[in-house]
Amino acid sequence: MRVADEALRKQYEGALKSWERRGRPTDAEPTLRQVPDDATMHDLRHFYASVLIKHRESVKTVQRRLGHAKPSITLNTYTHLWPDEEDSTRAATEAVFSAMPSKRPSRSAT
């Protein structure tokens, strides 16, 4: 874990310097992140996969990054993390309708 903690510390130090250069804006102070002492490489691997999925990487991309032989292996393990069709179709429909102008005639005082 030493390598991960060292990398996180370097990232924090860079973020802290940037924050100080920007005049220490309120509510923007960086936080030092640490890998829990009991975290294993397997835990970190699952974390990495979940981050890729959260950022909408494809099954094929996650499969390649994790070194799985087939996408089905990735899906068998991580299917529950990808948004289901219900979520994505609802979001797509809402996006289309929210961009459309209203067809309702305006009410004017007569």
Side-chain angles (χ1 to χ4, degrees), residues 31-49:
T31 304
L32 175 61
R33 306 286 184 202
Q34 293 181 306
V35 175
D37 290 336
D38 61 344
T40 65
M41 288 305 292
H42 190 75
D43 296 330
L44 295 176
R45 179 180 170 85
H46 281 297
F47 174 75
Y48 176 59

PDB file of all heavy atoms in Angstrom, residues 31-49:
ATOM      1  N   THR A  31      -8.651  17.598   0.325  1.00  0.00           N
ATOM      2  CA  THR A  31      -8.619  16.640   1.430  1.00  0.00           C
ATOM      3  C   THR A  31      -7.634  15.536   1.086  1.00  0.00           C
ATOM      4  O   THR A  31      -7.637  15.029  -0.035  1.00  0.00           O
ATOM      5  CB  THR A  31     -10.014  16.018   1.628  1.00  0.00           C
ATOM      6  OG1 THR A  31     -10.953  17.064   1.834  1.00  0.00           O
ATOM      7  CG2 THR A  31     -10.044  15.077   2.801  1.00  0.00           C
ATOM      8  N   LEU A  32      -6.813  15.183   2.054  1.00  0.00           N
ATOM      9  CA  LEU A  32      -5.881  14.080   1.851  1.00  0.00           C
ATOM     10  C   LEU A  32      -6.651  12.771   1.888  1.00  0.00           C
ATOM     11  O   LEU A  32      -7.349  12.472   2.856  1.00  0.00           O
ATOM     12  CB  LEU A  32      -4.801  14.081   2.936  1.00  0.00           C
ATOM     13  CG  LEU A  32      -3.828  12.905   2.923  1.00  0.00           C
ATOM     14  CD1 LEU A  32      -3.037  12.863   1.610  1.00  0.00           C
ATOM     15  CD2 LEU A  32      -2.887  12.980   4.108  1.00  0.00           C
ATOM     16  N   ARG A  33      -6.584  12.015   0.825  1.00  0.00           N
ATOM     17  CA  ARG A  33      -7.229  10.702   0.744  1.00  0.00           C
ATOM     18  C   ARG A  33      -6.191   9.650   1.096  1.00  0.00           C
ATOM     19  O   ARG A  33      -5.019   9.797   0.760  1.00  0.00           O
ATOM     20  CB  ARG A  33      -7.752  10.429  -0.666  1.00  0.00           C
ATOM     21  CG  ARG A  33      -8.649  11.496  -1.201  1.00  0.00           C
ATOM     22  CD  ARG A  33      -9.986  11.445  -0.549  1.00  0.00           C
ATOM     23  NE  ARG A  33     -10.851  12.439  -1.174  1.00  0.00           N
ATOM     24  CZ  ARG A  33     -11.907  12.925  -0.594  1.00  0.00           C
ATOM     25  NH1 ARG A  33     -12.249  12.523   0.596  1.00  0.00           N
ATOM     26  NH2 ARG A  33     -12.643  13.820  -1.198  1.00  0.00           N
ATOM     27  N   GLN A  34      -6.625   8.603   1.756  1.00  0.00           N
ATOM     28  CA  GLN A  34      -5.707   7.528   2.101  1.00  0.00           C
ATOM     29  C   GLN A  34      -6.358   6.182   1.823  1.00  0.00           C
ATOM     30  O   GLN A  34      -7.580   6.035   1.954  1.00  0.00           O
ATOM     31  CB  GLN A  34      -5.312   7.611   3.569  1.00  0.00           C
ATOM     32  CG  GLN A  34      -4.470   8.850   3.871  1.00  0.00           C
ATOM     33  CD  GLN A  34      -4.048   8.913   5.324  1.00  0.00           C
ATOM     34  OE1 GLN A  34      -4.893   8.840   6.198  1.00  0.00           O
ATOM     35  NE2 GLN A  34      -2.763   9.047   5.550  1.00  0.00           N
ATOM     36  N   VAL A  35      -5.534   5.247   1.449  1.00  0.00           N
ATOM     37  CA  VAL A  35      -6.000   3.883   1.233  1.00  0.00           C
ATOM     38  C   VAL A  35      -6.084   3.228   2.610  1.00  0.00           C
ATOM     39  O   VAL A  35      -5.131   3.292   3.388  1.00  0.00           O
ATOM     40  CB  VAL A  35      -5.017   3.101   0.334  1.00  0.00           C
ATOM     41  CG1 VAL A  35      -5.444   1.659   0.206  1.00  0.00           C
ATOM     42  CG2 VAL A  35      -4.917   3.764  -1.024  1.00  0.00           C
ATOM     43  N   PRO A  36      -7.236   2.631   2.942  1.00  0.00           N
ATOM     44  CA  PRO A  36      -7.335   1.968   4.250  1.00  0.00           C
ATOM     45  C   PRO A  36      -6.242   0.910   4.423  1.00  0.00           C
ATOM     46  O   PRO A  36      -5.851   0.240   3.452  1.00  0.00           O
ATOM     47  CB  PRO A  36      -8.716   1.312   4.216  1.00  0.00           C
ATOM     48  CG  PRO A  36      -9.476   2.072   3.179  1.00  0.00           C
ATOM     49  CD  PRO A  36      -8.457   2.529   2.172  1.00  0.00           C
ATOM     50  N   ASP A  37      -5.751   0.770   5.641  1.00  0.00           N
ATOM     51  CA  ASP A  37      -4.672  -0.185   5.909  1.00  0.00           C
ATOM     52  C   ASP A  37      -5.030  -1.609   5.532  1.00  0.00           C
ATOM     53  O   ASP A  37      -4.171  -2.390   5.140  1.00  0.00           O
ATOM     54  CB  ASP A  37      -4.271  -0.133   7.391  1.00  0.00           C
ATOM     55  CG  ASP A  37      -3.564   1.159   7.745  1.00  0.00           C
ATOM     56  OD1 ASP A  37      -2.985   1.799   6.831  1.00  0.00           O
ATOM     57  OD2 ASP A  37      -3.590   1.538   8.934  1.00  0.00           O
ATOM     58  N   ASP A  38      -6.303  -1.959   5.641  1.00  0.00           N
ATOM     59  CA  ASP A  38      -6.702  -3.333   5.351  1.00  0.00           C
ATOM     60  C   ASP A  38      -7.108  -3.562   3.891  1.00  0.00           C
ATOM     61  O   ASP A  38      -7.536  -4.648   3.533  1.00  0.00           O
ATOM     62  CB  ASP A  38      -7.828  -3.768   6.290  1.00  0.00           C
ATOM     63  CG  ASP A  38      -9.081  -2.920   6.152  1.00  0.00           C
ATOM     64  OD1 ASP A  38      -9.013  -1.813   5.566  1.00  0.00           O
ATOM     65  OD2 ASP A  38     -10.145  -3.365   6.635  1.00  0.00           O
ATOM     66  N   ALA A  39      -6.969  -2.534   3.047  1.00  0.00           N
ATOM     67  CA  ALA A  39      -7.333  -2.691   1.629  1.00  0.00           C
ATOM     68  C   ALA A  39      -6.328  -3.597   0.927  1.00  0.00           C
ATOM     69  O   ALA A  39      -5.128  -3.504   1.149  1.00  0.00           O
ATOM     70  CB  ALA A  39      -7.379  -1.337   0.942  1.00  0.00           C
ATOM     71  N   THR A  40      -6.859  -4.459   0.080  1.00  0.00           N
ATOM     72  CA  THR A  40      -6.001  -5.373  -0.680  1.00  0.00           C
ATOM     73  C   THR A  40      -5.921  -4.910  -2.137  1.00  0.00           C
ATOM     74  O   THR A  40      -6.693  -4.048  -2.559  1.00  0.00           O
ATOM     75  CB  THR A  40      -6.586  -6.799  -0.654  1.00  0.00           C
ATOM     76  OG1 THR A  40      -7.844  -6.778  -1.346  1.00  0.00           O
ATOM     77  CG2 THR A  40      -6.777  -7.306   0.765  1.00  0.00           C
ATOM     78  N   MET A  41      -5.032  -5.496  -2.896  1.00  0.00           N
ATOM     79  CA  MET A  41      -4.956  -5.188  -4.321  1.00  0.00           C
ATOM     80  C   MET A  41      -6.264  -5.572  -5.002  1.00  0.00           C
ATOM     81  O   MET A  41      -6.704  -4.902  -5.927  1.00  0.00           O
ATOM     82  CB  MET A  41      -3.772  -5.902  -4.983  1.00  0.00           C
ATOM     83  CG  MET A  41      -2.428  -5.317  -4.602  1.00  0.00           C
ATOM     84  SD  MET A  41      -2.299  -3.542  -4.933  1.00  0.00           S
ATOM     85  CE  MET A  41      -2.314  -3.506  -6.709  1.00  0.00           C
ATOM     86  N   HIS A  42      -6.906  -6.623  -4.525  1.00  0.00           N
ATOM     87  CA  HIS A  42      -8.198  -7.041  -5.073  1.00  0.00           C
ATOM     88  C   HIS A  42      -9.245  -5.945  -4.837  1.00  0.00           C
ATOM     89  O   HIS A  42     -10.042  -5.641  -5.729  1.00  0.00           O
ATOM     90  CB  HIS A  42      -8.618  -8.360  -4.418  1.00  0.00           C
ATOM     91  CG  HIS A  42      -9.795  -9.004  -5.065  1.00  0.00           C
ATOM     92  ND1 HIS A  42      -9.724  -9.661  -6.271  1.00  0.00           N
ATOM     93  CD2 HIS A  42     -11.098  -9.085  -4.670  1.00  0.00           C
ATOM     94  CE1 HIS A  42     -10.920 -10.121  -6.597  1.00  0.00           C
ATOM     95  NE2 HIS A  42     -11.765  -9.790  -5.642  1.00  0.00           N
ATOM     96  N   ASP A  43      -9.239  -5.354  -3.638  1.00  0.00           N
ATOM     97  CA  ASP A  43     -10.154  -4.244  -3.344  1.00  0.00           C
ATOM     98  C   ASP A  43      -9.901  -3.077  -4.284  1.00  0.00           C
ATOM     99  O   ASP A  43     -10.835  -2.461  -4.804  1.00  0.00           O
ATOM    100  CB  ASP A  43      -9.969  -3.756  -1.903  1.00  0.00           C
ATOM    101  CG  ASP A  43     -10.331  -4.787  -0.864  1.00  0.00           C
ATOM    102  OD1 ASP A  43     -11.209  -5.634  -1.133  1.00  0.00           O
ATOM    103  OD2 ASP A  43      -9.733  -4.741   0.234  1.00  0.00           O
ATOM    104  N   LEU A  44      -8.634  -2.755  -4.497  1.00  0.00           N
ATOM    105  CA  LEU A  44      -8.285  -1.643  -5.379  1.00  0.00           C
ATOM    106  C   LEU A  44      -8.692  -1.934  -6.812  1.00  0.00           C
ATOM    107  O   LEU A  44      -9.124  -1.039  -7.550  1.00  0.00           O
ATOM    108  CB  LEU A  44      -6.797  -1.327  -5.291  1.00  0.00           C
ATOM    109  CG  LEU A  44      -6.326  -0.810  -3.936  1.00  0.00           C
ATOM    110  CD1 LEU A  44      -4.804  -0.633  -3.938  1.00  0.00           C
ATOM    111  CD2 LEU A  44      -7.013   0.489  -3.566  1.00  0.00           C
ATOM    112  N   ARG A  45      -8.598  -3.182  -7.222  1.00  0.00           N
ATOM    113  CA  ARG A  45      -9.010  -3.585  -8.572  1.00  0.00           C
ATOM    114  C   ARG A  45     -10.519  -3.357  -8.756  1.00  0.00           C
ATOM    115  O   ARG A  45     -10.950  -2.819  -9.769  1.00  0.00           O
ATOM    116  CB  ARG A  45      -8.638  -5.049  -8.776  1.00  0.00           C
ATOM    117  CG  ARG A  45      -9.012  -5.650 -10.102  1.00  0.00           C
ATOM    118  CD  ARG A  45      -8.550  -7.110 -10.103  1.00  0.00           C
ATOM    119  NE  ARG A  45      -9.061  -7.827 -11.220  1.00  0.00           N
ATOM    120  CZ  ARG A  45      -8.504  -7.865 -12.427  1.00  0.00           C
ATOM    121  NH1 ARG A  45      -7.403  -7.191 -12.667  1.00  0.00           N
ATOM    122  NH2 ARG A  45      -9.038  -8.572 -13.398  1.00  0.00           N
ATOM    123  N   HIS A  46     -11.306  -3.758  -7.757  1.00  0.00           N
ATOM    124  CA  HIS A  46     -12.748  -3.531  -7.826  1.00  0.00           C
ATOM    125  C   HIS A  46     -13.060  -2.040  -7.817  1.00  0.00           C
ATOM    126  O   HIS A  46     -13.957  -1.583  -8.529  1.00  0.00           O
ATOM    127  CB  HIS A  46     -13.467  -4.229  -6.675  1.00  0.00           C
ATOM    128  CG  HIS A  46     -13.656  -5.693  -6.884  1.00  0.00           C
ATOM    129  ND1 HIS A  46     -14.409  -6.215  -7.904  1.00  0.00           N
ATOM    130  CD2 HIS A  46     -13.183  -6.759  -6.199  1.00  0.00           C
ATOM    131  CE1 HIS A  46     -14.392  -7.529  -7.853  1.00  0.00           C
ATOM    132  NE2 HIS A  46     -13.652  -7.885  -6.821  1.00  0.00           N
ATOM    133  N   PHE A  47     -12.338  -1.292  -7.033  1.00  0.00           N
ATOM    134  CA  PHE A  47     -12.536   0.156  -6.997  1.00  0.00           C
ATOM    135  C   PHE A  47     -12.261   0.749  -8.372  1.00  0.00           C
ATOM    136  O   PHE A  47     -13.034   1.558  -8.882  1.00  0.00           O
ATOM    137  CB  PHE A  47     -11.625   0.791  -5.936  1.00  0.00           C
ATOM    138  CG  PHE A  47     -11.680   2.286  -5.937  1.00  0.00           C
ATOM    139  CD1 PHE A  47     -12.776   2.956  -5.409  1.00  0.00           C
ATOM    140  CD2 PHE A  47     -10.647   3.032  -6.474  1.00  0.00           C
ATOM    141  CE1 PHE A  47     -12.838   4.344  -5.416  1.00  0.00           C
ATOM    142  CE2 PHE A  47     -10.700   4.412  -6.482  1.00  0.00           C
ATOM    143  CZ  PHE A  47     -11.793   5.076  -5.951  1.00  0.00           C
ATOM    144  N   TYR A  48     -11.163   0.343  -8.987  1.00  0.00           N
ATOM    145  CA  TYR A  48     -10.794   0.832 -10.318  1.00  0.00           C
ATOM    146  C   TYR A  48     -11.892   0.515 -11.331  1.00  0.00           C
ATOM    147  O   TYR A  48     -12.326   1.380 -12.096  1.00  0.00           O
ATOM    148  CB  TYR A  48      -9.468   0.199 -10.733  1.00  0.00           C
ATOM    149  CG  TYR A  48      -9.001   0.532 -12.122  1.00  0.00           C
ATOM    150  CD1 TYR A  48      -8.772   1.846 -12.511  1.00  0.00           C
ATOM    151  CD2 TYR A  48      -8.765  -0.469 -13.051  1.00  0.00           C
ATOM    152  CE1 TYR A  48      -8.329   2.155 -13.782  1.00  0.00           C
ATOM    153  CE2 TYR A  48      -8.315  -0.179 -14.328  1.00  0.00           C
ATOM    154  CZ  TYR A  48      -8.102   1.135 -14.686  1.00  0.00           C
ATOM    155  OH  TYR A  48      -7.669   1.437 -15.950  1.00  0.00           O
ATOM    156  N   ALA A  49     -12.392  -0.713 -11.301  1.00  0.00           N
ATOM    157  CA  ALA A  49     -13.465  -1.110 -12.221  1.00  0.00           C
ATOM    158  C   ALA A  49     -14.712  -0.253 -11.989  1.00  0.00           C
ATOM    159  O   ALA A  49     -15.334   0.221 -12.943  1.00  0.00           O
ATOM    160  CB  ALA A  49     -13.798  -2.584 -12.038  1.00  0.00           C
TER     161      ALA A  49
END
